[in-house]
Amino acid sequence: MHQPLVAISTDVRQFDNYTWHAAPQQYLEAAIAGAGVFPLLVPSFGDRLDFDELLSSVDGVMVTGSKSNVHPSLYGGDASEANGPYDPARDATTLPLIRKAVERGVPLLAICRGIQEMNVALGGTLATEIQEREGSLDHRAPASDSQDERFGIRQKVTIKPGSCLAGVFGEGDIMVNSVHRQAVDRLGPKLQLEAVATDGTVEAVSVKDARAFAVGVQWHPEYWVKSDSVSAKIFRAFGDAVRLHAAAKSGARAAAE
């Protein structure tokens, strides 16, 4: 089966006395099994990378979740130690990559940290430690040694009528595994609301008048993509958009020959 290439963000991590550029396996597995694409890891070298060349070679972009947070200096926030950890090399790579993907109409799926990067890249701000806000739910994972329990599907999210995701899930409520302590605060001017939690926390956004699928979700569809229909649907929708983009590129090349 043809697997179009999808660029995947990486974290910069230190272990075994080496600096690694890496992505968690769940995202890569979901890209292959859920979206039917070939995940291509993009090292986090910022403006040393030619993003136009990259986006000419791939048919989609997926921005993963991470334990690190977007550096607050990028949206006028407080860069405290408590708000960390940070990964400035990733920020310097993902933010321009997101902007370029949107500009060029390359399908984009941004997950967890990814939706936060998407919002900052497109002019928005973030709220930190949202569990401390009056009236807010605690969106953090429960304390457990079991990843299945930490990423359990336990939160209700309401899909906005007429939105992009209403076309994926239908309108109304879905159940998701949203695990985070930061969230979208002021929405970027190029973005529109797609879904909210019961406490009003932004759980999904999309790009206004996007040329292709361009969605960010705060929850973790990658974790249960093989067993949960909601998780599977968003990866299927992303994969379909990637294949549509690939077919359009192939058609344009054929017409030019």
Side-chain angles (χ1 to χ4, degrees):
M1 182 182 70
H2 174 64
Q3 293 177 313
L5 294 176
V6 167
I8 309 287
S9 61
T10 56
D11 301 326
V12 180
R13 306 294 292 272
Q14 306 291 330
F15 55 93
D16 289 345
N17 294 318
Y18 289 97
T19 299
W20 297 76
H21 294 238
Q25 179 167 317
Q26 286 98 327
Y27 295 94
L28 307 181
E29 178 67 32
I32 297 169
V37 301
F38 189 124
L40 181 69
L41 296 185
V42 178
S44 290
F45 284 112
D47 62 9
R48 295 170 64 189
L49 303 177
D50 186 337
F51 295 114
D52 284 312
E53 182 66 26
L54 172 64
L55 292 171
S56 293
S57 304
V58 302
D59 293 299
V61 173
M62 188 169 82
V63 188
T64 68
S66 174
K67 288 186 176 181
S68 67
N69 289 328
V70 178
H71 199 279
S73 64
L74 296 168
Y75 57 89
D78 176 24
S80 66
E81 184 176 345
N83 185 231
Y86 304 118
D87 188 342
R90 171 170 165 147
D91 296 338
T93 307
T94 53
L95 270 63
L97 179 57
I98 288 167
R99 286 191 287 263
K100 284 278 189 181
V102 170
E103 176 188 325
R104 293 179 56 131
V106 176
L108 169 68
L109 175 60
I111 297 170
C112 192
R113 188 195 207 268
I115 188 180
Q116 296 171 18
E117 290 164 294
M118 187 177 178
N119 191 49
V120 172
L122 299 177
T125 64
L126 304 178
T128 63
E129 308 305 332
I130 60 170
Q131 69 277 358
E132 298 174 2
R133 299 188 303 189
E134 185 176 353
S136 178
L137 298 171
D138 190 342
H139 293 256
R140 295 174 297 179
S144 174
D145 292 331
S146 166
Q147 284 291 82
D148 284 1
E149 184 175 350
R150 294 184 72 250
F151 284 88
I153 296 171
R154 61 175 64 88
Q155 181 175 303
K156 183 189 295 184
V157 164
T158 300
I159 304 298
K160 183 181 176 182
S163 65
C164 172
L165 288 184
V168 175
F169 303 120
E171 296 179 3
D173 297 337
I174 58 173
M175 296 299 293
V176 301
N177 54 344
S178 196
V179 179
H180 57 106
R181 59 188 178 93
Q182 292 201 147
V184 169
D185 188 13
R186 187 185 75 246
L187 199 62
K190 293 183 179 180
L191 295 174
Q192 59 193 6
L193 190 64
E194 290 279 330
V196 295
T198 55
D199 62 357
T201 299
V202 175
E203 287 287 338
V205 300
S206 66
V207 175
K208 296 177 183 176
D209 302 317
R211 296 169 55 193
F213 184 95
V215 168
V217 297
Q218 187 60 71
W219 66 87
H220 286 273
E222 80 288 347
Y223 197 86
W224 299 106
V225 69
K226 294 181 181 179
S227 58
D228 172 59
S229 63
V230 167
S231 300
K233 282 177 182 177
I234 194 161
F235 273 98
R236 192 177 308 122
F238 175 58
D240 288 346
V242 169
R243 281 180 285 278
L244 187 63
H245 183 75
K249 281 202 319 188
S250 295
R253 282 196 298 265
E257 291 175 354

